Amino acid sequence: MNIKKKNLLFIDNSRPVSNGSIGGSINSMIQLIARLDKNRYNIHMLLYYKFPILENQLKSLEIITIYRNNSLLSRGNKVKKKIRNILPFYSDLFIIKNFKQIDYLSSIIKKYKIDIVHANNRINANILCLLAAKRCAVPYIQHQRVFENKLSFTAKINKNYPAFYFSISNSIKDNIHEIVNVSEKKIKLIHNWINPDFLIKSNEGD
């Protein structure tokens, strides 16, 4: 009996550093994907920026890659960023300003007939992904890799939509329970798998 594969969409909005390398969040996400049963899942990955260093690895894992931006945008002013972070409701204003991204993300979910959306950062940073999944009535997993100090209003009223929160440590698990304020039943502890040789070996020449 053939089992119908589910279509998974992993979303990461990380930027490459100046030398084009990647951070631990993407590396550990890829290692998580590598452990998934390809007989049960079709893996799609939406990256906001291209990472040439990843090309061979993504192909070897049979990941369908979608790029949001083909070029790296300049980083914002650090002083302005700090000011924005202390302004009340800034996160919610950001959602209004970038509302079209929800349309874009929804179109990706529909185009590839996605069954589960997995966002790879934290709920405040991934709120547009959550809202797109919710609009499409698709289950959503929030991979929480960073501590939350407080939630935006939009995150607060949608915090229970994720089917699960994946936490990379016990301390972040506690932070999700206390700050995000969701049931512990929704929180799953999944430690990072960081193997420095994993990325290098998979990208070695022919």
Side-chain angles (χ1 to χ4, degrees):
M1 180 178 178
N2 292 328
I3 299 175
K4 183 181 178 182
K5 289 186 179 182
K6 287 189 177 296
N7 293 313
L8 307 186
L9 175 63
F10 289 79
I11 304 175
D12 191 286
N13 59 0
S14 299
R15 299 165 58 97
V17 297
S18 57
N19 64 0
S21 62
I22 65 172
S25 65
I26 290 185
N27 195 8
S28 60
M29 180 180 69
I30 292 175
Q31 292 179 50
L32 171 63
I33 291 172
R35 287 165 169 78
L36 296 176
D37 186 349
K38 302 304 186 299
N39 293 317
R40 297 180 61 189
Y41 302 109
N42 294 315
I43 311 298
H44 304 70
M45 182 185 292
L46 172 59
L47 296 174
Y48 274 50
Y49 304 97
K50 276 195 172 184
F51 294 82
I53 193 174
L54 289 178
E55 293 298 320
N56 291 339
Q57 188 177 7
L58 298 179
K59 288 179 182 178
S60 69
L61 293 174
E62 300 178 0
I63 296 173
I64 300 169
T65 311
I66 309 152
Y67 293 107
R68 178 74 176 90
N69 295 315
N70 289 325
S71 59
L72 181 61
L73 304 178
S74 61
R75 291 184 179 274
N77 183 284
K78 291 184 178 180
V79 175
K80 288 183 178 179
K81 185 176 181 180
K82 289 181 179 179
I83 294 174
R84 291 199 305 261
N85 288 340
I86 63 174
L87 290 176
F89 304 114
Y90 174 77
S91 296
D92 299 294
L93 293 175
F94 173 83
I95 294 169
I96 295 172
K97 180 182 177 182
N98 294 276
F99 198 79
K100 286 186 177 180
Q101 280 198 43
I102 301 175
D103 293 335
Y104 169 76
L105 293 168
S106 299
S107 70
I108 295 296
I109 293 170
K110 293 175 182 176
K111 178 180 179 180
Y112 293 95
K113 299 179 180 179
I114 299 301
D115 296 299
I116 301 173
V117 175
H118 175 291
N120 190 49
N121 193 320
R122 59 191 178 94
I123 187 171
N124 271 332
N126 292 140
I127 191 63
L128 298 174
C129 306
L130 186 157
L131 294 176
K134 187 174 183 179
R135 176 190 287 184
C136 297
V138 169
Y140 177 83
I141 295 173
Q142 178 59 56
H143 209 137
Q144 202 79 355
R145 298 185 176 277
V146 184
F147 290 101
E148 299 283 12
N149 294 318
K150 60 181 180 179
L151 294 188
S152 68
F153 175 75
T154 308
K156 284 181 180 178
I157 63 176
N158 290 283
K159 65 182 183 181
N160 289 313
Y161 185 74
F164 295 105
Y165 285 81
F166 288 175
S167 166
I168 66 170
S169 69
N170 280 310
S171 56
I172 289 183
K173 181 179 179 180
D174 292 340
N175 178 258
I176 297 171
H177 181 56
E178 295 168 7
I179 302 299
V180 182
N181 192 24
V182 295
S183 168
E184 288 191 25
K185 293 180 180 179
K186 279 182 172 277
I187 309 171
K188 306 297 180 182
L189 181 61
I190 300 182
H191 290 291
N192 285 339
W193 294 288
I194 299 298
N195 176 359
D197 295 327
F198 183 85
L199 183 63
I200 298 171
K201 289 180 180 179
S202 63
N203 283 281
E204 288 177 345
D206 295 334

